[in-house]
Every structure is written in C-alpha cells, then in structure tokens.
C-alpha cells in the first residue's frame, strides 16, 4: 500500500517537501534560491502592472490604469483608516508595498502551479511561505514604527515605555519583540499551512475535492495580506501617537 | 523549516528597493492623477454651480424684463384705446357740429327764399290788386 502511494507520488505532482531548499551560494552566504525566483516573479508582475498603468495616464481611467487606481485607493484607504488623514501620505508606499507584495506572493503561490517547474532541490512556492521572507517583512515593520516614533516625537518616544505606569515597562519592552514575532509567524504559518493542506488533499484525492480548500486558501491569503498591512499601519500609528491618548485595540486573526 | 540565512537581509533589501521603485513608478504618478482628478472635479463642480446660479439669475432677470414689457405693452394698448376713443369722440362731435351748421345754413336759406318768395308774392299781389283796381275804377282814379 505504501509503495503504491510512493509510486503514485513520483508520477503525480503532489509531493510534500518542507525544509528542502534550493540553495544558492553567494560567497560564503547561503540563500534560498526558490524564494528569490518567485519573489522576482512577484516583483516583476508588480513592476509591469505599474508601468502598464502609468504608461499612458488618462484623466478618465480605463483598463489597467483603472484597476491599479482601484488598488491604490484601497491602499490609501487602509493607510488613512489606521494613520489618520494627516499622517498617512508618507506611509502609503511602505504599507502599500507590504500589502501588494504579500498579496501577490500569496496568490501566486495559490494560483500558479509552480510545482510544474522542477528545481534540482526544493520546490517553487509563494515567497511568503519561507520564514526568512516573513521575518524580513516583520523586522522592516518594526524598524518602520521605530523610525516613525523617533521622527515624530524624538527621544520622547521612550516615554511610551513608562506611560501610564513604569510597572508595565517589561511588558512594553516585550511588546517590541512580540509584534514582529506575531506578524511574521502569523503570515508564515497561514501560508505554509494552507499550501500543506492543499498538498495533502491533492495527495489523497487528486480531483475536485481540494478545490474548496484552494478557494479558502485564496481567501486566507488575501486576508493575511490585509492583516499584515493593517497591523503594520496600526503599529506605526501607535508609535506616532504614543500611549497617552487612546489605546488601540490589537487586531488579531 | 526555520533555517535563517542570508535570504532574510537580502529579502529585506529587495523589499525596500521594491518599495522605492513602486513609489517612483506607481504610487507617485497615480496619487498625482487621483489628486489632480479630485481637484479637476472640485473646480468643475464649483464652476458648474456658479454657472447654474448665474443662469438662474439671468432667467429671473429675463422674467422680470418680460413682465415689464408685458406691463408696458398693456399700458400702451390702454393709452392707444383711450386716444382712439378720444379721437372718435372729437370726430363725432365735429361731424355733429358741421351737420348742425349745414342744417342751420339750409334753414336760413330756406327762410330767405321763403321771404323772397313772399315778397315777390306780395309784389305780385300789389300789382295784381292795382290792375284789378284799375280795371274796376279806371286808371285816372287810381293814379290820383
């Protein structure tokens, strides 16, 4: 029975490979080649779409320009809702790129049959199902909100650690570690789990049955991109506002 | 699964480059387009509103002018009717006067002719009565 399954595995597309990577050697550094390959695809897609949208800008938009304007308005609304009308503009590129990169990565992992392209080792998948990518994005978010806090309030930013009371200092410090941790692991876990579930279902029943899970995966992927971008914006806003005023509730999904 | 290596910083750098690139080719131009369009729509709207109020003002003005013109024309008609009535009345009065004058003239003529006729008749009566007298009494008696 097991040998039959194994034999099936070698012919079907469904094989589970977690923890195998397509290593590239750069000097004495090792990088995950498959992550960069798909991320370049994602970046290329975004750049091409942007270029097409802005190639021939019309006052009355149509086609790709209209679509990208819709995307931009969505991102602007997201940033505006979190950061407020006054502050949101300089942060739109960062938050928007977070959203677009994660969203396109997730959907490319869910929609494009990367596994048809064979690599010597490992397999192509969404860049966001590699922990390095998500941690990189989460750390950038941390840097971004530190930068936002310092540029807005100078050294007064440190006051947020002892306000309203110094008793909470350890928790406030801990927060700076849990924020990137939860951001990166939420995204990584969701995307990897989704791909694993789809892969397992495809392995078991290769026809039709995985489709609802794939659809659910699309939904989760979109939600995760939205959550990541929204939380990043919320953290930046919190750093700029401080704890003095209203406390922002944590959105967790 | 959790093997961190140079992928992490390279991915971070790559992401920042992507953000900068997209800022140049996506966010800036399209944000400018959106803002320009907002401005365009806003100015157009205010202009349209101004034009609308102007048009409404003009319409009101025209209506006032129309009402004025109608009132003036009614005045004119009334005046003209009045004039016509007056002229008619004077004409009638003149005609009556003339007729009166002609009638009086005719009357006096008739009176004159009647008198003439009477005078002539009287003369004839005189001569006839003299002749009758001459015949009856003879001319010597009469001429004496």
């Amino acid at each position: 029975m097991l040998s039959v399954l194994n034999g099936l595995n070698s012919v079907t597309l469904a094989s589970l490979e977690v923890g195998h990577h397509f290593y590239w050697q750069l000097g004495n550094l090792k990088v995950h080649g498959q992550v960069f390959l798909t991320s370049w695809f994602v970046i290329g897609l975004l750049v091409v779409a942007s270029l097409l949208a802005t190639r021939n800008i019309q006052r009355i938009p149509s086609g790709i320009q209209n679509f990208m304007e819709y995307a931009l308005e969505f991102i602007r609304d997201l940033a505006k809702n979190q950061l407020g009308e006054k502050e949101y503009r300089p942060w739109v590129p960062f938050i928007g790129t977070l959203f677009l990169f994660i969203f396109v990565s997730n959907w490319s992992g869910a929609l494009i049959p990367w596994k048809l392209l064979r690599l010597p080792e490992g397999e192509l998948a969404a860049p966001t199902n590699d922990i390095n990518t998500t941690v990189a994005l989460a750390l950038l978010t941390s840097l971004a909100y530190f930068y936002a806090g310092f540029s807005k309030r100078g050294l007064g930013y440190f006051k947020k650690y002892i306000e309203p009371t110094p008793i909470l200092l350890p928790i406030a410090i801990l927060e700076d570690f849990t924020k990137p941790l939860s951001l990166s692991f939420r995204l990584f876990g969701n995307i990897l789990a989704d791909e694993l579930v789809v892969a397992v279902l495809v392995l078991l029943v290769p026809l039709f049955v995985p489709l609802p899970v794939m659809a659910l995966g699309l939904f989760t992927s979109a939600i995760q991109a939205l959550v990541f971008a929204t939380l990043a914006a919320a953290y930046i806003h919190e750093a700029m506002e401080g704890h003095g005023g209203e406390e922002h509730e944590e959105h967790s999904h | 699964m959790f093997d961190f290596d140079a992928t992490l910083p390279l991915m971070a750098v790559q992401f920042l480059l992507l953000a900068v690139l997209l800022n140049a080719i996506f966010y800036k131009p399209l944000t400018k387009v959106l803002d320009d369009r907002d401005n365009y729509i806003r100015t157009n709207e205010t202009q349209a509103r101004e034009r609308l109020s102007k048009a409404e003002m003009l319409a009101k003005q025209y209506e006032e002018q129309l009402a004025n013109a109608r009132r003036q024309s009614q005045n004119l008609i009334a005046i003209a009717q009045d004039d016509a009535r007056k002229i008619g009345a004077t004409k009638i009065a003149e005609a009556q006067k003339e007729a009166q004058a002609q009638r009086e003239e005719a009357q006096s003529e008739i009176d004159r002719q009647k008198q003439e006729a009477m005078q002539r008749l009287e003369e004839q009566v005189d001569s006839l009565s003299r002749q009758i007298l001459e015949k009856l009494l003879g001319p010597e008696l009469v001429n004496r």
Side-chain angles (χ1 to χ4, degrees), chain A residues 99 102-114 126 128 187 190-195 197-198 210-227:
Chain A
F99 176 78
I102 295 173
F103 180 75
V104 178
S105 293
N106 292 351
W107 271 37
S108 79
L111 290 177
I112 299 174
W114 290 114
T128 38
L187 180 58
N190 270 289
I191 301 309
L192 184 68
D194 173 51
E195 297 208 344
V197 167
V198 170
L211 277 178
V213 182
M214 287 176 172
L216 184 69
L218 282 181
F219 179 66
T220 331
S221 302
I223 291 291
Q224 285 310 315
L226 183 65
V227 165

Side-chain angles (χ1 to χ4, degrees), chain A residues 74-86 88 92:
Chain A
F74 178 79
I75 291 162
R76 267 158 56 121
D77 279 350
L78 194 156
K80 204 189 290 177
N81 282 340
Q82 295 299 324
L83 293 171
E85 182 78 46
K86 220 175 86 188
Y88 81 97
V92 165

Side-chain angles (χ1 to χ4, degrees), chain A residues 56-134:
Chain A
N56 180 20
I57 290 184
Q58 304 285 329
R59 178 176 285 147
I60 298 166
S62 62
I64 182 92
Q65 190 195 342
N66 205 356
F67 176 74
M68 291 307 269
E69 277 185 15
Y70 172 74
L72 180 61
E73 278 184 357
F74 178 79
I75 291 162
R76 267 158 56 121
D77 279 350
L78 194 156
K80 204 189 290 177
N81 282 340
Q82 295 299 324
L83 293 171
E85 182 78 46
K86 220 175 86 188
E87 309 279 0
Y88 81 97
R89 272 176 183 267
W91 291 102
V92 165
F94 181 70
I95 292 163
T97 311
L98 272 180
F99 176 78
L100 288 178
F101 182 71
I102 295 173
F103 180 75
V104 178
S105 293
N106 292 351
W107 271 37
S108 79
L111 290 177
I112 299 174
W114 290 114
K115 278 128 198 160
L116 290 178
L117 296 172
R118 291 236 169 252
L119 292 179
E121 204 189 349
E123 58 184 20
L124 291 173
T128 38
N129 93 357
D130 191 280
I131 187 81
N132 288 290
T133 312
T134 61

Side-chain angles (χ1 to χ4, degrees), chain B residues 18-71:
Chain B
L18 176 67
V20 171
L21 182 63
L22 283 189
N23 188 35
I25 64 171
F26 173 49
Y27 299 111
K28 263 188 195 155
L30 279 195
T31 304
K32 193 173 164 295
V33 169
L34 289 181
D35 291 350
D36 284 355
R37 187 178 305 138
D38 278 355
N39 278 340
Y40 174 75
I41 289 171
R42 203 172 302 133
T43 48
N44 258 8
E45 212 183 342
T46 43
Q47 275 176 3
R49 205 168 289 143
E50 268 170 26
R51 260 182 232 154
L52 186 68
S53 64
K54 203 183 279 178
E56 272 168 5
M57 218 175 63
L58 275 182
K60 201 186 268 179
Q61 206 175 313
Y62 286 152
E63 261 167 32
E64 262 170 33
Q65 283 182 354
L66 195 67
N68 268 352
R70 204 168 281 152
R71 209 174 303 134

Side-chain angles (χ1 to χ4, degrees), chain A residues 18 21 23 30-32 35-36 39-40 43 47 50 54 57 59 61 69 72-73 76 89 93 96-98 131-133 135-137 140 188 192, chain B residues 1-16 18-23 25-27 29-31 33-38 40:
Chain A
V18 178
H21 296 291
Y23 285 107
K30 273 175 155 186
V31 295
H32 298 170
V35 177
F36 279 105
S39 72
W40 290 340
I43 291 171
V47 169
S50 307
T54 53
I57 290 184
R59 178 176 285 147
E69 277 185 15
L72 180 61
E73 278 184 357
R76 267 158 56 121
R89 272 176 183 267
T97 311
L98 272 180
I131 187 81
N132 288 290
T133 312
V135 170
L137 297 180
L140 282 179
F188 168 65
L192 184 68
Chain B
M1 206 186 284
F2 296 112
D3 48 349
F4 295 101
D5 51 23
T7 313
L8 197 158
L10 287 180
M11 187 57 85
V13 170
Q14 184 177 292
F15 177 82
L16 286 182
L18 176 67
V20 171
L21 182 63
L22 283 189
N23 188 35
I25 64 171
F26 173 49
Y27 299 111
L30 279 195
T31 304
V33 169
L34 289 181
D35 291 350
D36 284 355
R37 187 178 305 138
D38 278 355
Y40 174 75

